[in-house]
């Protein structure tokens, strides 16, 4: 069992809620990502997702799209991402979030070997359905890198239950249909949807898409094993004029989120 899988299971057994924070690798610049990650773990995050910047991020909203575009313009390459992942994995568990084209561009075996060497615990590939490309799934598992499956409000119960046959540390529940992005409120129907997910799947459930602050994090965490926050973090970086301002701004939001979900 990986460190991340163990973390998720033990948290569920204790009734503790987990917080995962997303960063776009190379944003706002190549040297800032690891420094931000250190501040995020210090502020209470349980694990992190490191986003591989991609030119056509179909699952991401405008905030993360801008961050990806800026990271690519700053010269971020896949080798930089693996180097950042290796440094961050020394701080805490990490998964890579990206697009299947990045895997194919490097070559699946080479990509997985580099990710494994970097200490990554899993992959999130929104453009690759969890039951597609079974040979790649098997190859990823051989490298100790399970593909984290998504479920959405449109996912049927039977399809959710099929996830119980997969070896994953958690299931990623998308709170709304659409792309990533923080939202000011949690729709009333989300709680019913998350209850449906947790009744269908046996693995821990992390909910993402739409967390903007402590209040929305607490509401979502009430019906999940934890929350994933991305756009709200990137927005804090956007609003900071310097790295010296970004780090305390991001740290403050992570502390707010962690405190809020601990009360859910």
């Amino acid at each position: 069992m990986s460190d991340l899988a163990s973390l998720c299971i033990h948290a569920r057994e204790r009734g503790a809620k987990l917080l995962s924070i997303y960063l776009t690798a190379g944003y706002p610049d190549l040297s800032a990502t690891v420094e931000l990650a250190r501040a995020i773990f210090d502020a209470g995050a349980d694990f992190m997702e490191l986003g591989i910047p991609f030119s056509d991020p179909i699952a991401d909203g405008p905030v993360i799209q801008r961050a990806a575009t800026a990271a690519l313009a700053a010269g971020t390459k896949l080798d930089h991402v693996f180097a950042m992942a290796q440094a961050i994995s020394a701080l805490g568990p990490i998964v890579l979030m990206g697009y299947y084209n990045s895997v194919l561009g490097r070559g699946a075996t080479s990509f997985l070997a580099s990710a494994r060497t970097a200490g990554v615990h899993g992959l999130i590939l929104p453009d690759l359905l969890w039951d597609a490309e079974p040979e790649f799934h098997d190859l990823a598992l051989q490298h100790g890198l399970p593909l984290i499956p998504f479920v959405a409000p449109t996912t049927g119960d039977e399809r959710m239950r099929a996830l119980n046959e997969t070896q994953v540390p958690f299931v990623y529940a998308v709170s709304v249909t659409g792309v990533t992005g923080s939202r000011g409120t949690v729709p009333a129907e989300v709680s019913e949807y998350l209850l449906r997910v947790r009744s269908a799947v046996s693995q821990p459930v992390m909910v993402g898409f739409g967390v903007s602050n402590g209040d929305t994090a607490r509401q979502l965490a009430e019906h999940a094993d934890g929350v994933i926050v991305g756009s709200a973090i990137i927005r804090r970086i956007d609003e900071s004029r310097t790295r010296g301002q970004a780090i305390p701004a991001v740290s403050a939001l992570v502390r707010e989120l962690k405190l809020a979900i601990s009360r859910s």
Side-chain angles (χ1 to χ4, degrees), residues 181-206:
S182 57
R183 296 164 174 85
T185 59
V186 175
E189 62 271 20
V190 172
S191 59
E192 182 178 349
Y193 152 66
L194 290 175
L195 287 171
R196 184 166 67 88
V197 175
R198 294 193 81 187
S199 67
V201 305
S202 58
Q203 299 96 335
V205 175
M206 297 288 293

Side-chain angles (χ1 to χ4, degrees), residues 54-71:
F54 184 61
S55 58
D56 187 22
I58 58 173
D60 293 312
V63 173
I64 293 180
Q65 285 185 21
R66 284 196 297 272
T69 299

